[in-house]
Amino acid sequence: MPKTLLTISVVIGSNESLIIPCLASICQGTKSKFDIYVVSNQSSAEIVNEIKRQFPAVNIVLNSSCKGFAENHNYVMECSDSEYVLILNDDTLLPDGSIDKLTEFMEKNKKIGVVSPKLINPDGSLQPSTYRFPNLITIFLGLSGLRSSIHPTETVLRLVNLVEKSFGLKGKSRLWKHDYTTEVDTFKGACTLVRRKAINEVGLMDEVTLF
């Protein structure tokens, strides 16, 4: 049986100063019992020591070489035996109670393997975080550069919402308000809560090496 309900996995990115406010938002705003693993991709000794000073309960993993997203988080998933693993970017700040709400949602919905919350930019605007599986249209929009020119304005969101409702495609693109819970094709990995049962059944993330 899992020893804890939740393990949180965070990797220190190129701007290592972001990790301190990220950890503070987790510790100050979460009531559930959890473990935290912070993976250091050759970060400075100063930031590692600061983490130890401010957050002594954090488990720090020191890489001897810089590793990729999947490899780092896979290591944490293998180290932990918790019911859930939260994969979290170090540039995120979590509102009070947000992690608790994610775990509560999973506890109430046993058939769901992975969940991700709505993401908000620092200025309060929506950060679109869901995507369709690739098809000829999405590939064309991406390669042509047209996709990056389409922004989630109110007019665009209303138009897409109307189209998706008409054809039963709710939440199948990035252009919606992210204001309801729905099944999506895929989403960003910035904040992803994964059920241990799903990890055991499907396996760890693919560790793709780009040359």
Side-chain angles (χ1 to χ4, degrees), residues 151-169:
H151 303 291
T153 63
E154 282 295 321
T155 301
V156 170
L157 292 175
R158 283 197 297 269
L159 177 60
V160 172
N161 182 58
L162 178 62
V163 172
E164 292 193 336
K165 278 186 176 180
S166 300
F167 292 92
L169 300 172

Side-chain angles (χ1 to χ4, degrees), residues 101-150:
K101 290 179 180 179
L102 285 174
T103 53
E104 288 169 8
F105 176 81
M106 293 290 269
E107 288 287 277
K108 293 178 181 178
N109 298 273
K110 298 294 186 179
K111 293 184 178 181
I112 294 177
V114 186
V115 66
S116 183
K118 179 179 181 178
L119 303 181
I120 300 296
N121 292 314
D123 63 0
S125 62
L126 172 69
Q127 183 178 132
S129 59
T130 66
Y131 306 94
R132 290 181 183 275
F133 289 134
N135 56 45
L136 290 176
I137 294 176
T138 59
I139 292 172
F140 168 75
L141 290 174
L143 293 176
S144 67
L146 292 174
R147 185 177 178 279
S148 60
S149 66
I150 304 173

Side-chain angles (χ1 to χ4, degrees), residues 2 49-50 69 102 104 129 147 185 202 208:
N49 289 335
E50 188 62 19
F69 178 92
L102 285 174
E104 288 169 8
S129 59
R147 185 177 178 279
D185 284 352
V202 177
V208 179

